[in-house]
Structure formats: C-alpha cells, structure tokens
Amino acid sequence: MEIINTGFGLSEEVIRKISSWKNEPEWMLNFRLKAYKAFLTLSLPKWGPDLSFLDFNKFIYYSKYQTEKKKEWKDLPEKIRNTFEKLNVSEQEAKFLNGMETQLDSEMVYSQIFEETKKKNVILTDLDSAVKQYPELVQKYLGKLVYSNEHKFSALNSAVWSGGTFIYVPKNTHVELPLHTYFRINNKNVGQFERTLIIVDDNSSLQYIEGCTAPVYSEDNLHAAVVEVYVGKNAKMQYTTIQNWSDNVLNLVTKRAIVEENGYMSWIDGNLGSRINMKYPATILKGQHASAECISIAVSHNDVNQDTGAKMIHLAPNTRSTIISKTIASGNGIANYRGMVEIRKNATNSYSHVKCDSLFLNKESKGLTFPHEKIQNNTSNIEHEAYISKLNEENMFYLMSLGIDKKNAKNMMLIGYIAPFSNKLSLEYSIELNRLLELEIDEED
C-alpha cells in the first residue's frame, strides 16, 4: 500500500502542499500560513526539558496511506486492519464502542458512530472533515483557546495540523457511552500533529477517551498535538488519555479547556513512554461555581523524561479545582511535576487543592516539583501537599510472606499507588493500564 508524504523539512511550500492535498478552503490556508510565520519567530519554550537538539528539518510533516476514510471495518486495507488487531483494536471492539476514530500518522482511516449517537445530533468526525462540513463551528472555536502564536509548538501544530477529532454535543444532550479515538505513529521520522476540538454545549455531558502508541525506531518521532475543549453552562466533560508512546517519541502537547457557569471538567491523564513528555492539561474556570480536576500519572524508566502536571486558572467566584499527580521513576528516569494554580482577583471564595506524590524505585531515578501558585484575593485558599517515597520494604515482606513472589508483590503495590487514577477508568481500561505499568517497570528488572 503506497504512502505519500511531503518529504523532510518545513517551508511555506510544504504548508501550501498540505492544504492543497486536503482541498481546504482559503481561510484554513491563511490560518496555517499565519501560524507558520509565528513559528519562524518564536523560540523554544524556556520551561521543561532541554529541546535545543531539535532539528525541525529532520521530520516529515505530512504522511498518509493511499486510502480514503472508511465507515466499515472490512473495507480497510489488510495492512491497516492487521496493525490495529495486533494492538487489540479489533472489529468487535469497534462495534462495541459508541463512536470511534482511528488515525495512522497524519490521517484518519476508520470512522464509526452508532445510530443512538446520531439520533442525538452529536457530531463526531475528524477535524479535516469538520472544516468542510461545519465551517461556522470550526471558525468560531478553533484557535480561540490555544493561540497559534502562543509558543513554538502551538504555532507548529496550527501550521501543519492534520487529522484529529471534532466533537459537538448539542444543548441538553447526554452521551451515555464514551467516544473513543486512537492515534498511532506508524513510520519513522514522522511528525504527528492532530488537532482536537470538542464543544459540550449547555446542560450536556460527554466522556471522551484517546489512546496513543508508536513502534520503536532508532530515529525520533515528533508528536505535537493541540486540544481545545469548551464546556458550557451546567455541562460535564471527562477527557481520558492513556498514552503509551515508544521511547523514541518526543511528546509535546498543549491541552486546554474553558468552563462556564456550574460546568465541570475532568482530565484523566496517563503517561507511559516517550523519550521526552511535556504535557500540562490546563483549565480556565470562567463561570461562577465552575469546577475542574486533573488526575494524572507519569511513569519513567531509563532515558525517559516525564515532565507533567496541570494548570488551573480561576477567573470567577466560587470556583473549585483539584490536581492529583502521581509519578513513578525507575532506572535513570526523570519524573517531574510542573504545575500552576492562579486564583485571580475576581475569583473570590474559590478553592484549589494540589497533591503531588513521587515514587522512586531506585537510587538513580529522580524527580523535582515546580509549583507556581498565586492568589489575588483574600477570600480564597490553595492547599498544596507533596509526598516522596520508595516502595515500603515492610509491606513487600508482608506480601511475600503470604506466598506472593517479589515481582507480583511489587506490581500490587504500584497498582495501589496509582489507584486515584485507575479508579477513574472502566474495568477494561484499568486492567490494560495495569498490564502496561507492569511492562514499563519490568524493563528495569
């Protein structure tokens, strides 16, 4: 099956070629070109791990299989079906899921949404299709939360984005089953730049789950995604990510939500793998009584740098936020927490709780905490607690005295440690996470 791509390097010609291949309207080409100009002038972020080694000319910015997006599993080319089946994304699973989008490299290849969801007028499609089918919605929301000139990677994504998910949940609509998306980088030296745009309108609710994987190559892959989520009045949104990139992926992601009055936003963020992972889901609490939580885990092993956390910005009175961060470091891995909580002047009677726990499995692993917390009124409170630990030898001894071998005893303790995260998952995803965690830690044994 033939693959087409733009070749190595980034230029205005490459961006025009991407837009032309996609047959995009002029306003989207202009959006891309404006972002590219910003990309050329912006420096690399000064926070987080060192990225000075990045050579943007060593990546392919658009790659796709020569196949159209399919509605039926059987219509996919055999090679793509085999790829997903090896990853347990099977036809049976796809039929069970309420809605599913799958993306290989730069393009969506499989799309399905059940009749029940269609009857509720919920829109689930890839963003490329939404640009053509729902231009008014896309132009209203795209780039209004994460600006194209905000930092170098938001500019890069805005210039070369491809694929990603678009969801619109109308007012007074509750989606009972989760909607799913699966992303996979399938070729070496390929950048993946999906863009996700989700709008949950007033008095509505949605659960969204995304999974990410990539095979191991000797060269780096670049993943620089952008997520924008709009949560209306009295609306609820849960965004779950289980990321299992291989250790050659540079994962540099910007995720942001804005929540109106009485709305609720939940980020459930799992981070395994990646050579470097920089991800800090952010929530802007715009309306009174809006609330948000971010519960995350980050697991690092040899030569893996996990730089993760969350951001909460309180703009309105009586808003609430919670950040729970669990990191695990083994080998010479690094697992840092980097977070921000700001309660602004008008956000009176607001409250935020931050809890950062770090677990180190050996003497070589390390992690740091970089909290930024600021209150601008006298009626609000921020609580911050942090805990650093290693596996409790007495508990290990107790479990082993019951006939449990050392490996399983260790895994049981790790599963207990991440319980605040895994308890938010369905049984199937919780089991899968435990397996992934076991594989990650086994690499150091």
Side-chain angles (χ1 to χ4, degrees):
M1 183 169 53
E2 185 182 356
I3 301 174
I4 64 169
N5 62 60
T6 54
F8 292 95
L10 183 59
S11 65
E12 183 175 322
E13 180 184 357
V14 166
I15 291 166
R16 289 184 178 276
K17 186 179 292 186
I18 292 172
S19 189
S20 176
W21 282 353
K22 292 173 175 292
N23 194 28
E24 291 180 337
E26 186 176 359
W27 64 264
M28 180 50 68
L29 173 60
N30 292 334
F31 177 87
R32 293 181 182 277
L33 293 175
K34 181 180 178 181
Y36 177 63
K37 290 180 181 178
F39 169 80
L40 293 175
T41 62
L42 291 166
S43 301
L44 290 168
K46 298 186 184 301
W47 70 88
D50 178 24
L51 298 172
S52 59
F53 63 89
L54 264 177
D55 183 349
F56 290 97
N57 289 317
K58 289 186 176 180
F59 297 103
I60 296 169
Y61 288 89
Y62 180 83
S63 173
K64 69 171 290 188
Y65 288 86
Q66 285 283 56
T67 180
E68 296 300 320
K69 187 172 73 168
K70 305 297 184 182
K71 294 293 184 183
E72 297 293 336
W73 186 269
K74 63 181 176 61
D75 295 330
L76 281 176
E78 183 178 1
K79 182 176 180 180
I80 293 179
R81 283 204 315 273
N82 290 341
T83 297
F84 288 124
E85 286 168 358
K86 288 176 182 177
L87 294 158
N88 296 320
V89 182
S90 64
E91 178 181 8
Q92 288 73 26
E93 181 178 12
K95 287 180 177 178
F96 170 76
L97 299 177
N98 188 40
M100 184 172 185
E101 296 271 339
T102 57
Q103 178 167 335
L104 279 176
D105 296 332
S106 299
E107 290 289 334
M108 288 288 185
V109 294
Y110 175 69
S111 175
Q112 181 173 347
I113 185 166
F114 276 11
E115 290 301 319
E116 180 183 356
T117 310
K118 286 183 179 180
K119 289 177 182 177
K120 294 182 176 181
N121 295 317
V122 174
I123 300 170
L124 169 64
T125 187
D126 59 283
L127 189 56
D128 291 289
S129 297
V131 166
K132 299 170 186 176
Q133 297 173 14
Y134 311 101
E136 297 84 3
L137 279 174
V138 175
Q139 289 184 77
K140 180 179 179 180
Y141 292 102
L142 185 70
K144 303 302 190 297
L145 264 182
V146 179
Y147 302 120
S148 59
N149 61 354
E150 189 167 321
H151 56 73
K152 199 166 187 72
F153 295 105
S154 68
L156 178 63
N157 177 278
S158 299
V160 301
W161 73 267
S162 189
T165 304
F166 177 82
I167 300 175
Y168 175 72
V169 182
K171 291 181 179 180
N172 307 307
T173 302
H174 299 283
V175 181
E176 303 299 335
L177 295 175
L179 303 183
H180 295 242
T181 299
Y182 175 77
F183 300 108
R184 177 175 169 85
I185 298 174
N186 213 48
N187 295 289
K188 63 183 180 180
N189 294 117
V190 169
Q192 184 162 302
F193 309 97
E194 78 270 6
R195 185 102 184 195
T196 297
L197 180 57
I198 299 175
I199 303 105
V200 184
D201 218 327
D202 297 348
N203 304 302
S204 298
S205 63
L206 172 69
Q207 292 185 59
Y208 173 73
I209 300 173
E210 67 174 10
C212 315
T213 65
V216 177
Y217 296 112
S218 57
E219 298 89 349
D220 287 333
N221 290 104
L222 176 60
H223 179 244
V226 168
V227 175
E228 297 175 293
V229 180
Y230 295 82
V231 182
K233 292 180 180 180
N234 305 303
K236 294 182 179 180
M237 170 69 194
Q238 179 173 303
Y239 192 116
T240 301
T241 302
I242 300 179
Q243 160 200 307
N244 186 33
W245 295 119
S246 61
D247 295 347
N248 62 295
V249 174
L250 306 173
N251 190 48
L252 314 170
V253 177
T254 304
K255 293 186 171 184
R256 190 168 300 154
I258 189 166
V259 186
E260 302 291 345
E261 183 178 349
N262 291 314
Y264 171 74
M265 177 70 201
S266 176
W267 300 99
I268 310 299
D269 200 55
N271 301 283
L272 298 90
S274 300
R275 176 183 167 190
I276 293 176
N277 180 38
M278 296 172 64
K279 180 154 42 113
Y280 326 96
T283 306
I284 300 169
L285 299 169
K286 180 184 176 184
Q288 290 195 54
H289 299 285
S291 60
E293 69 174 356
C294 181
I295 302 176
S296 67
I297 62 166
V299 183
S300 70
H301 54 258
N302 275 332
D303 302 319
V304 169
N305 191 336
Q306 294 278 5
D307 201 86
T308 61
K311 299 178 182 180
M312 297 290 179
I313 301 172
H314 297 244
L315 301 182
N318 304 300
T319 47
R320 299 287 184 269
S321 68
T322 300
I323 297 173
I324 298 176
S325 169
K326 296 274 189 176
T327 61
I328 301 173
S330 62
N332 66 359
I334 301 172
N336 293 333
Y337 168 81
R338 192 179 304 272
M340 180 182 78
V341 177
E342 288 191 2
I343 300 180
R344 301 285 176 84
K345 182 178 179 179
N346 293 329
T348 53
N349 299 309
S350 294
Y351 170 79
S352 183
H353 178 74
V354 181
K355 180 176 174 59
C356 306
D357 292 341
S358 299
L359 180 64
F360 300 105
L361 301 186
N362 61 349
K363 294 181 179 179
E364 290 74 30
S365 56
K366 57 185 178 181
L368 297 170
T369 299
F370 301 95
H372 172 90
E373 293 163 357
K374 186 176 182 180
I375 300 179
Q376 296 180 328
N377 67 67
N378 295 324
T379 60
S380 298
N381 292 287
I382 297 177
E383 294 180 355
H384 183 109
E385 56 179 304
Y387 187 73
I388 299 174
S389 63
K390 60 181 181 179
L391 285 179
N392 188 293
E393 293 182 2
E394 291 184 2
N395 290 343
M396 284 282 289
F397 177 79
Y398 172 74
L399 291 172
M400 293 173 67
S401 72
L402 298 176
I404 301 170
D405 61 46
K406 182 178 180 180
K407 177 182 175 181
N408 285 324
K410 183 167 120 177
N411 288 336
M412 289 175 66
M413 293 179 67
L414 292 176
I415 290 168
Y417 174 75
I418 66 167
F421 176 88
S422 57
N423 288 344
K424 291 285 186 174
L425 305 176
S426 66
L427 177 61
E428 293 82 1
Y429 276 91
S430 182
I431 292 171
E432 184 67 18
L433 175 66
N434 293 341
R435 289 173 180 166
L436 291 172
L437 180 60
E438 182 178 344
L439 291 172
E440 287 282 302
I441 302 304
D442 279 352
E443 294 191 15
E444 309 305 324
D445 290 338

